[in-house]
Amino acid sequence: MSSQSSSAVTERKVPFFNYPGLFAEHEQEFMDTIRDVLSRGAYIMQKDLFEFEEKLASFIGVKHVFGVADGTVALTLALKLAGVEPGDEVILPSHTFVATAAAVNHVGATPVLCDCGPDHMIDVASAEQLVTAKTKAIMPVQLNGRTCDMDAVTAFADKHGLKIVEDSCQALGARFRGKMAGTFGVAGSFSFYPAKVLGCFGDGGAIVVDDDEKAEILREYRDHGRDQTTGKVVRFGYNARLDNVQAAIMLIKLRTYDRDLERRRAIAVTYQERLGNVDALLLPPAPESDNLRYDIFQNYEIEAEKRDGLREHLAQRGVGTIMQWGGHMIHQFDKLALKANAPYAEAMSSKYMMLPMHHLLSDDDVNHVCDSITEFYRGQA
Ligand SMILES: *Cc1c(COP(=O)(O)O)cnc(C)c1O
């Protein structure tokens, strides 16, 4: 290798995520839109929000979408709609963001943690052993932009008479048997945290339902329990509205959403082609590996032997990686003291990590990540 090419390699920086790039991508349109919205004084529940809700509803193929403050409140409202109450138990995977469990706690119920499988999705068989007379619902988490085995989840819920409350916060646009994530249970929840595939410039979320009666309740819940026609408070609600300016920003991003998903899937194909034969790695299922699913690759989460050494090596090569949830699954937060049946998740604790995955990565960036990984394991052989 010539010294020139080796310095080109060492100087390349591939941060785990590119926050400033999100703004730079459509800077002029964002600034024009922000100026327009603010100069109209259109801050809360204005036409941009309603237009965003309509566009998102047609993308997902649901009747009703409500922009809300964040994904966690969307999950909390979905659990309320499912009738989950104090004393109930709700089964969810331990390999998820704490928000899934926190939402259960917020409605007064108890999260009970089950395992995941090698694709990092909920392992329904491990949930069987956790069912009690108090179990009210199961929360499949559509993690990393992939859908769970929704046939198995649905059969399990039917068998035990449970409600399904999907955490689809990471999976806007993912499909199982052609059906969109967010449309399987009582209500679907999405997060627009900036690093989510559809991210805003702050916090945001959405809850989606087909049922008209539930939609009426959600309309009130997110706006202090007010009847939207009379303005009268008809129940105790929340201040859980999505900011109008954030909705306007996401209207711009929605226009290129399909293209952004395809870019992520192309990157996943490259990772598969270049790393699929590295024995020390377990990669997520490849985009075309499974005709039941359309995965959107919110994240590219792998398992790696000698993970900590690999991460250090990648950091030296300018490649940022992270461990989801800061390296701790919910059953490992001692102070939450939750019941868990999660041997696979436990064993994967020392192996799981995420590679850079977003639509702004160049082919050279992706190849640099792959080169750096193969270089590491060659050195270990
Ligand atoms: C992002 C996320 C949420 C919700 O997060 P907010 O920050 O409240 O928008 C919930 N569950 C999962 C799995 C997530 O990744």
Side-chain angles (χ1 to χ4, degrees):
M1 204 188 274
S2 76
S3 63
Q4 216 187 337
S5 74
S6 86
S7 79
V9 164
T10 43
E11 278 164 27
R12 180 171 290 277
K13 289 262 180 293
V14 187
F16 178 72
F17 194 69
N18 181 356
Y19 288 98
L22 294 180
F23 176 59
E25 195 186 12
H26 305 287
E27 175 167 349
Q28 194 57 52
E29 271 184 284
F30 288 142
M31 291 314 294
D32 291 349
T33 295
I34 291 167
R35 184 181 310 278
D36 170 52
V37 169
L38 301 197
S39 65
R40 280 189 274 126
Y43 310 123
I44 302 280
M45 303 261 280
Q46 298 299 309
K47 71 171 185 177
D48 311 85
L49 173 66
F50 302 128
E51 188 185 338
F52 171 69
E53 290 173 344
E54 249 171 61
K55 291 258 158 65
L56 196 61
S58 86
F59 175 77
I60 299 170
V62 281
K63 252 168 112 179
H64 307 281
V65 169
F66 297 97
V68 293
D70 52 60
T72 309
V73 78
L75 289 166
T76 307
L77 297 181
L79 287 160
K80 284 178 75 82
L81 284 185
V84 177
E85 291 177 340
D88 292 339
E89 293 177 357
V90 177
I91 298 177
L92 55 119
S94 140
H95 182 37
T96 183
F97 187 34
V98 69
T100 323
V104 174
N105 179 269
H106 293 332
V107 298
T110 303
V112 176
L113 306 176
C114 72
D115 211 356
C116 63
D119 69 350
H120 299 183
M121 299 292 114
I122 193 168
D123 172 19
V124 173
S126 79
E128 280 288 348
Q129 299 164 50
L130 296 168
V131 176
T132 72
K134 294 179 180 166
T135 309
K136 180 74 181 256
I138 179 165
M139 297 179 82
V141 179
Q142 318 293 28
L143 198 66
N144 298 328
R146 179 175 169 81
T147 46
C148 304
D149 178 346
M150 293 309 297
D151 291 343
V153 170
T154 306
F156 176 81
D158 288 349
K159 176 178 166 192
H160 297 287
L162 307 179
K163 295 276 170 58
I164 296 174
V165 180
E166 243 184 302
D167 181 343
S168 44
C169 283
Q170 292 197 357
L172 177 63
R175 304 193 281 274
F176 182 84
R177 292 191 189 281
K179 194 168 156 59
M180 284 272 183
T183 66
F184 287 91
V186 175
S189 302
F190 296 97
S191 168
F192 307 129
Y193 180 82
K196 295 292 200 309
V197 184
L198 182 66
C200 63
F201 295 142
D203 279 307
I207 180 164
V208 311
V209 287
D210 264 324
D211 184 283
D212 296 336
E213 273 171 44
K214 290 194 169 64
E216 283 317 303
I217 298 172
L218 285 176
R219 224 184 279 285
E220 293 155 6
Y221 268 155
R222 73 145 169 206
D223 185 33
H224 295 292
R226 285 190 279 232
D227 179 293
Q228 298 298 293
T229 311
T230 65
K232 270 198 186 147
V233 173
V234 291
R235 64 178 76 247
F236 281 117
Y238 298 77
N239 180 1
R241 300 168 303 223
L242 175 65
D243 289 344
N244 192 61
V245 70
Q246 301 288 6
I249 285 163
M250 287 189 286
L251 274 170
I252 296 170
K253 297 185 69 170
L254 259 186
R255 285 188 223 138
T256 53
Y257 194 70
D258 283 318
R259 186 197 72 192
D260 296 346
L261 297 186
E262 280 306 317
R263 176 67 189 146
R264 283 173 183 260
R265 286 168 58 83
I267 293 167
V269 168
T270 305
Y271 277 144
Q272 181 67 39
E273 284 171 359
R274 296 229 29 218
L275 302 173
N277 58 359
V278 178
D279 290 341
L281 300 179
L282 177 67
L283 304 181
E288 303 297 343
S289 65
D290 167 351
N291 56 20
L292 291 181
R293 291 180 173 88
Y294 179 86
D295 291 2
I296 65 154
F297 291 91
Q298 161 66 57
N299 303 308
Y300 198 81
E301 187 170 66
I302 66 171
E303 293 178 39
E305 302 294 336
K306 304 195 171 77
R307 176 196 61 196
D308 297 345
L310 175 63
R311 293 190 68 216
E312 206 169 294
H313 175 85
L314 289 174
Q316 283 164 7
R317 295 295 183 278
V319 176
T321 60
I322 66 169
M323 293 183 290
Q324 207 161 197
W325 340 120
H328 301 285
M329 296 168 217
I330 302 178
H331 72 281
Q332 296 164 328
F333 293 122
D334 296 342
K335 294 217 163 153
L336 298 184
L338 296 174
K339 188 174 165 200
N341 174 25
Y344 188 94
E346 188 61 40
M348 131 183 153
S349 288
S350 60
K351 295 185 192 162
Y352 78 119
M353 61 182 278
M354 305 199 296
L355 301 181
M357 169 55 87
H358 57 83
H359 71 280
L360 300 172
L361 292 172
S362 69
D363 290 347
D364 286 346
D365 290 336
V366 178
N367 281 317
H368 176 62
V369 175
C370 296
D371 290 340
S372 306
I373 291 174
T374 47
E375 180 187 61
F376 174 75
Y377 286 114
R378 226 182 292 125
Q380 301 282 316

